Amino acid sequence: MQYTGACQCGAGTFSIDECTPDHSWPTSRPLWYEPHINCTACANQFEIEQRSGDFVLVEKTRLEEQEQKRHAARTALEAAEGHASVIEVKKIAAGLLDNAGSVSAAHRLATQHNLDDSTIGTFRRHWRGGEVFMRGLRLSALKSAFTWVGVDSKDFDQLIEEYRRLDEDATRPPQAFAAPFHRLKRNRF
């Protein structure tokens, strides 16, 4: 047991267990913490989050809002990826890569136009054709694909800006209810 203390309303407790694996094999996380809310009223209102070495209470309503923000960001990403101009660019670029003549030539094209930064060996191992390559293309590389194939990216730029704004908001942790109620004596992470 790492910590036990009174809960927010005083009718129960918060506890934090320090856990280790039940085996001797090396693991990436040889130590972790499991927080518990031992009060029905507080458990209905809060969740405990670990943020580095601090444990904070976060209201469940804020966590629900955060999930709605994540959903909005995913929806914006899907809208961007499904936009007609993106589909057109991916189709044209896939055809250009497939018609390059060899996997090495496709790699040179992809690298030259900032669609890929892998080594030729990695590119060869993962090459399954232009369509599969373009389907897995990172969002950040799509702008380069627009430039390469000569398609206007104005609509795409607006969609991506909207996605980035929503994603930035969605990845920001929800505001804590109060100051941390427990700090690890030594931050082990």
Side-chain angles (χ1 to χ4, degrees):
M1 181 84 52
Q2 168 73 19
Y3 169 82
T4 301
C7 69
Q8 190 68 25
C9 72
T13 62
F14 294 145
S15 62
I16 301 170
D17 295 329
E18 185 175 287
C19 304
T20 57
D22 60 352
H23 54 78
S24 60
W25 302 297
T27 62
S28 61
R29 290 186 62 203
L31 177 68
W32 69 93
Y33 299 93
E34 292 182 358
H36 305 281
I37 298 176
N38 307 312
C39 169
T40 307
C42 288
N44 289 333
Q45 186 179 1
F46 301 108
E47 281 191 21
I48 298 173
E49 284 191 357
Q50 182 179 357
R51 297 182 180 172
S52 283
D54 294 339
F55 289 88
V56 296
L57 289 177
V58 179
E59 293 173 294
K60 287 189 174 184
T61 55
R62 291 200 185 264
L63 293 170
E64 291 165 3
E65 289 169 3
Q66 192 71 12
E67 185 53 39
Q68 290 170 355
K69 290 176 184 179
R70 284 189 197 104
H71 178 72
R74 281 191 302 272
T75 302
L77 177 60
E78 290 167 3
E81 289 176 338
H83 192 267
S85 63
V86 172
I87 293 169
E88 177 188 2
V89 164
K90 285 184 175 184
K91 185 176 179 181
I92 294 169
L96 292 170
L97 290 169
D98 284 336
N99 292 328
S102 68
V103 176
S104 293
H107 178 255
R108 281 192 300 275
L109 274 176
T111 304
Q112 177 184 357
H113 295 289
N114 298 318
L115 304 182
D116 188 68
D117 58 3
S118 66
T119 65
I120 183 65
T122 301
F123 188 85
R124 281 182 189 279
R125 276 192 301 280
H126 297 286
W127 180 253
R128 301 289 180 268
E131 183 182 337
V132 173
F133 176 81
M134 291 306 294
R135 195 178 323 134
L137 192 65
R138 294 181 323 272
L139 194 60
S140 58
L142 266 175
K143 178 73 172 166
S144 298
F146 272 89
T147 304
W148 177 33
V149 301
V151 173
D152 181 29
S153 66
K154 189 173 111 179
D155 293 340
F156 174 72
D157 292 341
Q158 291 172 349
L159 290 168
I160 291 308
E161 271 310 305
E162 176 69 8
Y163 163 70
R164 287 194 175 128
R165 185 185 60 74
L166 290 169
D167 186 56
E168 184 179 313
D169 196 29
T171 54
R172 198 174 304 122
Q175 183 178 352
F177 179 71
F181 67 88
H182 178 66
R183 275 205 167 102
L184 294 176
K185 299 219 182 321
R186 182 177 49 170
N187 190 355
R188 301 177 189 200
F189 303 106

